[in-house]
Amino acid sequence: MDENDKKLNSKTNLKTLRTYMSDMADTVRSNDISVIKVALAEQNKHEREDLYRKVEGSSSKKAFWIIGGIILIGAAIYGSYFIFKQKAKNDAPQPMQKIESIISYDEITNVDLTGAENLNDKLISIKKEIIKSNKNGLIKYIPITKETMGVKEKVLVSKLFSLMETTAPSSLVRSLSDSYMMGVYIKNPSASIETDDGKPNLFMILETNDYDFSYAGMLEWEKTIAGDMFNLFEFKTNDNKTELGKKQFKDIIIDNKDARVLYSEDNKPLLYYIFTNKSKIIITDSQDAIREILGRLIIKNIKPL
C-alpha cells in the first residue's frame, strides 16, 4: 500500500468533530421550534378563554339576565292573575248602565236582546202583562238593551228600526237621534183589559235632529207604516195590511197641536203620530196616551226656580 492509499484510508476513518459553534446552532434551531410551539399554544389558549368569556358573559351580564328572567316570570304570573280576575268580573252579572228616559215613568221592564233578535214579539208580550195599580194614567218604560263587552247598553235607533222590520225611509232614520223611548200607557190599570180604559197602549217617542227631514220622512212613511205596525199594535180591523196601506192619514188637533191619524174602514182611529215643538215625535194608538205624554213632557221641561 503506497503512501497515498494510507492517507485516503486515514481520512475515511476520521470521526466527525463536534464543536461549540455547531452545538450552539443545533440548540438555537431546536429552541426556536419549541418557542414557536409554546407561543402558538399560548395564543390558542387565550383565544379559547376569550371565546368562553363571550359565551358565558361577564358577571354583571349574568346578573342582568337572572333579574330579567325573574321580572318576566313575575309579569307572566301577574298577567295570568289579571286575566283570571277580568274573566270572573265579566262572568258576573253586570248592572245595566243608567238609561235616561224622555219622560217620567211609573214602572220599568227591560227588553234584553242579547242573543235574540225577535223584538216585536217581546214588546207584545210585555204590553199584555197585567199591571195592577191604583194610579190612573200609568206609564211603563221599556228600555231596549243589548249586552256589549259585558255591559248592557241601549240599542241605537237605527238598530231599533231594523229589529222592528220597518220600511221607514232612510232619510227619516238618519234624521233621528239615539234618544228615544218605548213604553206602554194604561189609562186605568184596575179596569178590564178588554175595555178602552184598561187596554194597554204601546207608544214610541222619537227625537229628531232635523225637523224638516223628519217631517218629510214621516209623510213618506205613511204609505207603509200601518203595515209595519200592524202586528205590533194589534190593530182591530177587517182591513189587511195592503188595504190599510191604501188609506190616507188625516189631520187632527190634539191639545192644540197638529197630529195625523189613520182610520179603519168603520172610521175608528188606528194609529196617530204627532210632532211636539218640532223636536219630538209620538207614535201610538191612543189619544189619551198622547195627552199623558204631552203632560209629562211639559212637567219635565219646567225648570225649577
Side-chain angles (χ1 to χ4, degrees), residues 8-241:
L8 181 59
N9 290 333
S10 62
K11 290 180 180 181
T12 303
N13 294 327
L14 288 177
K15 294 182 178 180
T16 302
L17 296 177
R18 296 179 60 86
T19 64
Y20 175 77
M21 292 299 295
S22 62
D23 289 341
M24 284 295 294
D26 292 339
T27 301
V28 169
R29 283 194 299 271
S30 176
N31 286 341
D32 284 343
I33 295 172
S34 299
V35 169
I36 291 172
K37 289 181 178 180
V38 171
L40 290 174
E42 190 69 20
Q43 182 179 356
N44 291 335
K45 177 182 177 183
H46 288 310
E47 289 177 352
R48 286 195 300 272
E49 289 177 351
D50 290 340
L51 181 61
Y52 293 152
R53 280 194 296 269
K54 289 180 181 179
V55 172
E56 295 178 357
S58 62
S59 57
S60 61
K61 288 183 178 180
K62 290 180 180 178
F64 173 79
W65 283 110
I66 293 173
I67 294 173
I70 293 173
I71 293 173
L72 288 175
I73 294 172
I77 295 173
Y78 176 79
S80 300
Y81 175 77
F82 177 80
I83 293 173
F84 174 78
K85 293 291 289 184
Q86 190 67 26
K87 185 178 184 302
K89 181 180 178 181
N90 292 338
D91 292 341
Q94 296 293 325
M96 185 176 68
Q97 290 184 342
K98 185 178 180 180
I99 300 177
E100 296 293 335
S101 61
I102 295 177
I103 61 173
S104 62
Y105 56 88
D106 306 296
E107 295 185 358
I108 183 170
T109 300
N110 178 60
V111 172
D112 184 5
L113 294 179
T114 304
E117 300 293 324
N118 198 347
L119 174 59
N120 287 349
D121 288 348
K122 289 193 174 186
L123 290 174
I124 293 172
S125 176
I126 291 174
K127 186 176 70 171
K128 291 181 177 180
E129 290 179 356
I130 299 176
I131 302 172
K132 297 299 182 183
S133 173
N134 295 323
K135 175 181 172 57
N136 290 333
L138 185 141
I139 294 286
K140 171 180 277 194
Y141 177 29
I142 310 175
I144 314 298
T145 61
K146 198 169 187 178
E147 188 172 309
T148 304
M149 301 296 291
V151 178
K152 289 183 179 180
E153 297 177 339
K154 191 174 182 179
V155 170
L156 301 181
V157 70
S158 58
K159 184 65 173 177
L160 175 71
F161 274 76
S162 174
L163 291 171
M164 293 174 65
E165 299 179 347
T166 70
T167 58
S170 58
S171 59
L172 169 63
V173 178
R174 288 195 301 269
S175 71
L176 301 175
S177 77
D178 288 317
S179 177
Y180 65 89
M181 183 175 180
M182 298 285 297
V184 174
Y185 165 80
I186 301 180
K187 185 176 181 178
N188 184 3
S190 61
S192 171
I193 195 173
E194 301 299 328
T195 65
D196 289 339
D197 286 351
K199 175 187 174 183
N201 303 111
L202 188 70
F203 67 84
M204 295 174 60
I205 305 176
L206 306 172
E207 190 173 83
T208 174
N209 292 322
D210 191 310
Y211 170 77
D212 292 333
F213 275 100
S214 295
Y215 186 79
M218 287 301 300
L219 290 177
E220 179 67 22
W221 195 18
E222 285 185 2
K223 301 174 184 178
T224 57
I225 189 173
D228 292 344
M229 302 296 180
F230 192 90
N231 295 326
L232 184 60
F233 282 90
E234 299 179 297
F235 293 140
K236 303 299 182 182
T237 176
N238 294 325
D239 292 330
N240 57 34
K241 294 181 181 181

